[in-house]
Amino acid sequence: MSPTKTEPAPAEQAPGNPSVSSPPRGGGGEAPSQLQKDPDLERKFRELVAVWQVEVAPLSSSTARVQHPAYREIIALGPAAVPLLLRELEQRPNHWFAALKSLTGIDPVPPSDRGRIGPMTEAWITWGKEHGFL
């Protein structure tokens, strides 16, 4: 008899398809286990953000900004970077939308707001609050 195939539990999601779209809600302020605060991760994230901001400041190309090595490294930090990105976006709006979309697999920005940093930021901040990341 062959074993039956079962759907993976949320903690067993494939690495390329993180399950970050629905962490626990509620007023307890509890972060999902894979997103627990990690001082080393936060330090690395802050270092990468600082490098990225300095090196892309003179660039006008959005493509060049998201292809920058520090930006790619931030995405490589994985789903644990989502709350960090959302907090960064909340405090200092910038072009973090592609990274967030890459890490979450979703885009809460309505088509009518694409290309407008203010409304795009609002959409992601709202999404982050609704899903327990902020």
Side-chain angles (χ1 to χ4, degrees):
M1 196 171 8
S2 63
T4 58
K5 186 174 181 181
T6 60
E7 291 297 315
E12 299 170 346
Q13 293 291 326
N17 188 14
S19 176
V20 296
S21 61
S22 54
R25 295 179 186 224
E30 297 175 4
S33 61
Q34 81 260 28
L35 304 176
Q36 289 296 333
K37 198 162 192 167
D38 177 350
D40 292 333
L41 175 75
E42 190 158 357
R43 179 189 48 75
K44 178 69 173 171
F45 174 79
R46 296 279 162 230
E47 289 171 1
L48 291 168
V49 167
V51 168
W52 180 78
Q53 288 174 330
V54 167
E55 294 184 6
V56 303
L59 304 178
S60 60
S61 166
S62 294
T63 301
R65 288 171 176 263
V66 300
Q67 289 179 348
H68 188 277
Y71 196 93
R72 306 307 303 162
E73 281 189 62
I74 288 169
I75 293 171
L77 294 174
V82 171
L84 299 170
L85 280 165
L86 289 168
R87 280 197 307 268
E88 180 68 23
L89 186 63
E90 188 175 43
Q91 295 167 6
R92 289 170 290 282
N94 212 323
H95 296 271
W96 297 116
F97 314 113
L100 286 163
K101 184 176 179 181
S102 176
L103 289 167
T104 64
I106 65 135
D107 186 351
V109 178
S112 61
D113 287 338
R114 302 256 158 79
R116 299 172 52 212
I117 286 191
M120 292 173 74
T121 298
E122 286 291 322
W124 274 105
I125 298 305
T126 299
W127 179 88
K129 288 177 179 174
E130 288 174 350
H131 291 85
F133 288 101
L134 288 172

